[in-house]
Amino acid sequence: MINHFSKINEVVATFDREVKNHLNSIEHVKRFSKGELLLAEGKVCRKSFHISKGIARKFFRNDAKEVTTDFFFQDDIAIAFNSYTFQTPSRETIQCLTDVEARVTHREDWDAAKAKFPQLLELDILLTEIHAGLLDEELYDLRVLSATERYQKLLTESPEVLQSVKLTHIASYLNISLETLSRIRARL
């Protein structure tokens, strides 16, 4: 996968001091406890959470069953994309799996910054393209890779997942049963 951090850094490096200072002024560092919700189902996602430390997960409920759709690790931006983009109630919940430290930006502040500094639109477009690319990759993985290959890929890309994430959440994210995950782990 393309290293999206280098692309983001390349764009940010082109910003002058005024833009960088403004970005820093609209971000606020907050700490969240394990189990705390960054976003509850049914609420509008009005903030982005740039994770500095810790792990969060995104999930939705389907017939009283939680279906994990994403994990957020260091340097990830945790949002419910549709809710954030269209300012509609979220179908998803974002929950801290560990204590989390994040740089929080309110959507209104981000929109005002883009209006004041049009060059931020390039960063906004890049972040959207990265999100779309990651979704495309996830769809490919679910349709083409075997359960074992998806598990191995998750471990390669995010080895910390085993230390901090329940196996039930990992199985749900991989779209497999807990029993299948146990068999895969036993074989490896």
Side-chain angles (χ1 to χ4, degrees):
M1 187 174 116
I2 298 169
N3 183 348
H4 54 273
F5 302 116
S6 63
K7 290 191 168 291
I8 292 169
N9 289 334
E10 284 174 22
V11 171
V12 172
T14 66
F15 297 161
D16 61 32
R17 183 179 306 271
E18 183 183 11
V19 174
K20 290 178 184 177
N21 287 342
H22 188 78
L23 286 177
N24 287 332
S25 75
I26 64 172
E27 287 185 328
H28 306 284
V29 175
K30 286 191 71 175
R31 288 171 183 77
F32 303 91
S33 299
K34 177 180 178 178
E36 194 170 345
L37 299 184
L38 303 181
L39 176 67
E41 176 184 357
K43 300 291 183 187
V44 175
C45 185
R46 299 185 193 283
K47 302 173 188 171
S48 64
F49 302 86
H50 187 164
I51 307 290
S52 304
K53 295 179 187 169
I55 301 171
R57 78 172 175 124
K58 184 167 52 173
F59 65 93
F60 64 88
R61 287 178 180 38
N62 184 21
D63 295 329
K65 179 181 171 186
E66 292 181 357
V67 178
T68 300
T69 57
D70 211 346
F71 295 112
F72 301 106
F73 301 100
Q74 182 177 344
D75 290 326
D76 287 337
I77 298 173
I79 61 170
F81 190 79
N82 278 349
S83 177
Y84 183 84
T85 301
F86 302 112
Q87 292 296 279
T88 56
S90 177
R91 295 179 294 187
E92 300 166 302
T93 297
I94 303 175
Q95 179 185 40
C96 298
L97 295 179
T98 64
D99 289 344
V100 167
E101 181 179 288
R103 295 191 313 268
V104 181
T105 304
H106 288 265
R107 164 85 193 257
E108 302 83 31
D109 293 337
W110 175 243
D111 288 344
K114 289 186 297 184
K116 184 174 182 177
F117 303 104
Q119 65 204 70
L120 289 176
L121 292 172
E122 182 181 355
L123 178 60
D124 197 46
I125 291 168
L126 177 61
L127 292 171
T128 302
E129 289 171 343
I130 288 169
H131 181 77
L134 292 172
L135 285 176
D136 187 58
E137 189 171 335
E138 287 177 21
L139 285 172
Y140 174 86
D141 292 352
L142 282 171
R143 289 188 167 97
V144 175
L145 301 182
S146 69
T148 301
E149 290 169 326
R150 292 194 308 272
Y151 177 71
Q152 289 174 318
K153 182 177 180 181
L154 178 63
L155 291 183
T156 299
E157 292 180 355
S158 305
E160 66 273 32
V161 76
L162 278 181
Q163 298 159 0
S164 303
V165 178
K166 293 179 183 177
L167 292 178
T168 54
H169 297 326
I170 294 171
S172 174
Y173 175 73
L174 295 172
N175 200 29
I176 59 177
S177 69
L178 186 56
E179 295 77 19
T180 299
L181 179 58
S182 294
R183 284 193 296 274
I184 290 169
R185 288 169 46 94
R187 275 184 280 165
L188 300 177

